[in-house]
Amino acid sequence: MEAPPAVSAAPRQKVRFGTVVSDKMQKTVVVAVETTKRHRLYKKTLKRTKRYKVHDERNECRLGDRVRIIETRPLSKEKRWRLAAILVRGNVAEIQPQAIGAEILEPTSAAAEETGTEDAATEEEEA
């Protein structure tokens, strides 16, 4: 695989660092950029997350990657950023959280039926 071309930012182009949160579109990824800001009056630190549609010409990005993006001309209705570099490859589980929870719940409900703990609880409520 050939090396990506060196992408430099012009002085007026904005540069952001974020995490890829979606790669389901062709040549487009959604990058979440998190910024912190202090409240003017209460001085509490607030976290703000903004999601950008980013042009990924080679479909290189995967879920969880840390990337650098650069502002560019409008490429589509919502796409105004392009991928500059993938900084760190992300490690994201391939199993959905619902599937993990279902595996845990099935054996516990089966064990409860065998021991009769549900029946004992309902009898105590009735009495």
Side-chain angles (χ1 to χ4, degrees), residues 88-102:
V88 179
R89 285 287 181 183
N91 294 329
V92 177
E94 301 210 5
I95 300 174
Q96 295 294 326
Q98 295 85 7
I100 294 171

Side-chain angles (χ1 to χ4, degrees), residues 7 14 22 48 51 58-60 73-74 77 105 126:
V7 179
K14 295 176 184 148
S22 174
R48 294 286 177 238
R51 294 164 54 111
R58 298 186 189 137
N59 286 324
E60 297 172 326
R73 65 182 175 83
K77 180 182 175 185
L105 292 176
E126 291 175 1

Side-chain angles (χ1 to χ4, degrees), residues 24-88:
K24 298 191 183 305
M25 296 173 273
Q26 293 178 11
K27 296 189 178 186
T28 303
V29 293
V30 179
V31 176
V33 175
E34 195 170 271
T35 57
T36 57
K37 184 178 180 182
R38 291 192 57 92
H39 192 279
R40 291 182 317 192
L41 177 62
Y42 301 117
K43 309 298 185 215
K44 178 177 175 158
T45 303
L46 304 171
K47 270 198 278 188
R48 294 286 177 238
T49 303
K50 185 152 174 67
R51 294 164 54 111
Y52 296 100
K53 300 268 185 358
V54 178
H55 185 66
D56 179 15
E57 182 64 35
R58 298 186 189 137
N59 286 324
E60 297 172 326
C61 289
R62 297 289 166 251
L63 210 59
D65 289 355
R66 293 278 303 158
V67 295
R68 182 174 66 228
I69 59 176
I70 297 177
E71 188 178 38
T72 186
R73 65 182 175 83
L75 300 172
S76 69
K77 180 182 175 185
E78 297 178 335
K79 231 184 337 182
R80 269 89 175 127
W81 297 82
R82 63 186 160 92
L83 179 68
I86 299 173
L87 305 174
V88 179

Side-chain angles (χ1 to χ4, degrees), residues 106-119:
E106 290 174 5
T108 56
S109 61
E113 290 175 4
E114 291 175 6
T115 59
T117 55
E118 291 179 349
D119 295 334

